[in-house]
Amino acid sequence: MVEKIISLESISLVDFLGVENANIKEIAQAFPNTKIVARGSEIRIMGSNTEIVRINEIINSLLEHYNKYSKITLDNVRSYMNDNPAQVPLHELEDDIILYGAKGTAIKPRGHNQLKLVQAIYNNDLVFALGPAGTGKTYVAVAMAVRALKNKMVKKIIITRPAVEAGENLGFLPGDLKEKIDPYLRPIYDAFEDMIPAEKLKFYQEKNVIEIAPLAYMRGRTLGNAFVLLDEAQNTTAMQMKMVLTRLGEHSKMVVTGDESQIDLPRNQRSGLIHASEILRDTEGIGFVRMESKDVIRHQLVKKIVIAYDKFENEHQQSSR
């Protein structure tokens, strides 16, 4: 009798094995002469070499399916056992789907400009996504980063943003580094939690496959084989922006998001986002996508608030000339 052990580390066991290990029991019923036991984060297979090879193929196919869709159903198990992995609902094969989230929900662009952002990231190694809050700039960028990681296009994801509210001098705040910067990075964590099962997200962070850090910690690094997101970039200085842009290494992509109407820098400091937009606007290989107030996807009142503020600021600028 031959024995094979398959490790299931860093994945959600209930989403892969099914409730009360129903998915593994389905495979076991198809191979009554082989013993299959799921215990902890391992699957132990004991039987003939021929059957173990076939079961290993099925489980590896299911792991690939899980890495793409974040969930395994009994129909998926039966499909792979019947050598018909293409039995996926047609709506799951639509071109505009970025990836499937932690609960198997399709994450796709919402609106024309979000689709333009997705296409810009496909076609450029550096993309600036500009526009008001609530338009999905950061969410789409995180989704594209997770897709790149799942498809093994990059080896890690690096998310950074300036902690300008604390002047990037975090020493006076209580707690360790993570506790100091977490309040500024909460929107990023929320996006990741939508897209990656909790166990896998924790594993990625522990192994530094996903790194979330303040902008100051990017200095001196070369960010290769990575998907880099600089969020809230309107609060970078020109020097900080140049520093992070020149960190980009081989086989990497970078997305810079920001809202020029929400700059929190001191009045005598110019936003690095505005400065970089003017300098790099016509540079080949760099994409620019402008989101508008009509793209706001939060509460319907948010769109009206953004439009009202834009109107007030335009009228104020005209009257001050």
Side-chain angles (χ1 to χ4, degrees):
M1 181 175 286
V2 181
E3 183 178 42
K4 169 77 175 177
I5 297 175
I6 299 174
S7 175
L8 301 178
E9 288 185 6
S10 80
I11 70 175
S12 169
L13 296 177
V14 68
D15 287 332
F16 184 80
L17 299 174
V19 178
E20 296 183 349
N21 294 344
N23 295 335
I24 293 302
K25 289 177 180 177
E26 185 75 14
I27 299 174
Q29 288 176 6
F31 296 89
N33 297 323
T34 300
K35 187 175 182 180
I36 307 174
V37 178
R39 185 170 296 147
S41 60
E42 290 183 345
I43 297 175
R44 191 179 297 267
I45 311 168
M46 291 159 283
S48 69
N49 187 62
T50 302
E51 289 202 343
I52 284 181
V53 168
R54 177 63 187 134
I55 294 167
N56 187 56
E57 288 174 351
I58 293 168
I59 292 176
N60 282 338
S61 296
L62 290 170
L63 283 168
E64 289 182 11
H65 185 100
Y66 173 85
N67 285 331
K68 184 173 183 181
Y69 301 110
S70 300
K71 195 171 182 65
I72 298 293
T73 66
L74 278 174
D75 286 340
N76 298 144
V77 175
R78 292 165 186 149
S79 176
Y80 282 102
M81 284 197 299
N82 294 328
D83 284 324
N84 191 13
Q87 279 189 349
V88 179
L90 287 177
H91 68 82
E92 291 186 353
L93 300 175
E94 293 173 359
D95 291 339
D96 61 347
I97 292 175
I98 301 173
L99 78 159
Y100 291 86
K103 300 301 180 183
T105 305
I107 295 173
K108 59 172 67 177
R110 296 173 63 181
H112 177 66
N113 281 332
Q114 283 197 10
L115 182 58
K116 280 178 64 178
L117 177 55
V118 169
Q119 292 169 340
I121 295 170
Y122 275 132
N123 296 328
N124 301 277
D125 287 340
L126 174 58
V127 174
F128 286 80
L130 313 174
T135 52
K137 305 182 299 295
T138 299
Y139 195 84
V140 169
V142 171
M144 292 296 287
V146 173
R147 178 189 174 95
L149 183 65
K150 283 189 171 186
N151 292 342
K152 296 180 170 55
M153 297 167 62
V154 297
K155 293 182 178 179
K156 69 184 302 180
I157 296 172
I158 299 171
I159 311 288
T160 186
R161 66 192 297 188
V164 73
E165 295 87 346
E168 288 223 66
N169 179 14
L170 304 174
F172 71 92
L173 294 173
D176 59 20
L177 174 63
K178 185 176 185 300
E179 292 168 332
K180 292 175 193 287
I181 66 173
D182 270 2
Y184 304 102
L185 301 170
R186 190 64 248 172
I188 305 294
Y189 286 112
D190 290 343
F192 275 127
E193 287 167 3
D194 276 357
M195 300 172 196
I196 302 175
E199 294 91 342
K200 195 161 193 176
L201 179 58
K202 182 180 178 182
F203 173 82
Y204 280 156
Q205 290 184 270
E206 288 174 348
K207 299 297 183 181
N208 268 341
V209 174
I210 293 178
E211 179 183 349
I212 306 177
L215 185 60
Y217 285 74
M218 298 300 108
R219 193 173 301 277
R221 299 177 60 181
T222 298
L223 308 176
N225 293 296
F227 193 112
V228 184
L229 168 60
L230 170 57
D231 194 39
E232 297 288 342
Q234 74 275 3
N235 288 326
T236 62
T237 64
M239 186 178 296
Q240 286 174 326
M241 178 63 78
K242 181 181 178 182
M243 177 274 291
V244 73
L245 293 180
T246 54
R247 300 304 94 202
L248 193 63
E250 292 291 324
H251 311 296
S252 292
K253 282 184 179 285
M254 182 181 291
V255 178
V256 177
T257 65
D259 177 3
E260 306 103 307
S261 70
Q262 294 191 6
I263 297 171
D264 298 315
L265 293 168
R267 289 185 178 275
N268 63 341
Q269 282 192 322
R270 193 178 186 207
S271 167
L273 179 64
I274 295 175
H275 187 242
S277 298
E278 294 174 357
I279 294 173
L280 302 174
R281 174 67 62 181
D282 299 320
T283 303
E284 186 177 354
I286 300 178
F288 283 85
V289 178
R290 167 69 62 178
M291 314 295 277
E292 301 173 6
S293 54
K294 67 180 182 181
D295 298 311
V296 172
I297 54 174
R298 293 178 181 170
H299 191 287
Q300 59 182 356
L301 278 177
V302 175
K303 186 180 296 187
K304 295 178 181 179
I305 291 167
V306 171
I307 292 171
Y309 268 89
D310 286 345
K311 181 180 178 182
F312 174 82
E313 289 169 3
N314 288 336
E315 291 174 351
H316 181 72
Q317 287 175 357
Q318 290 174 2
S319 64
S320 62
R321 288 174 181 172

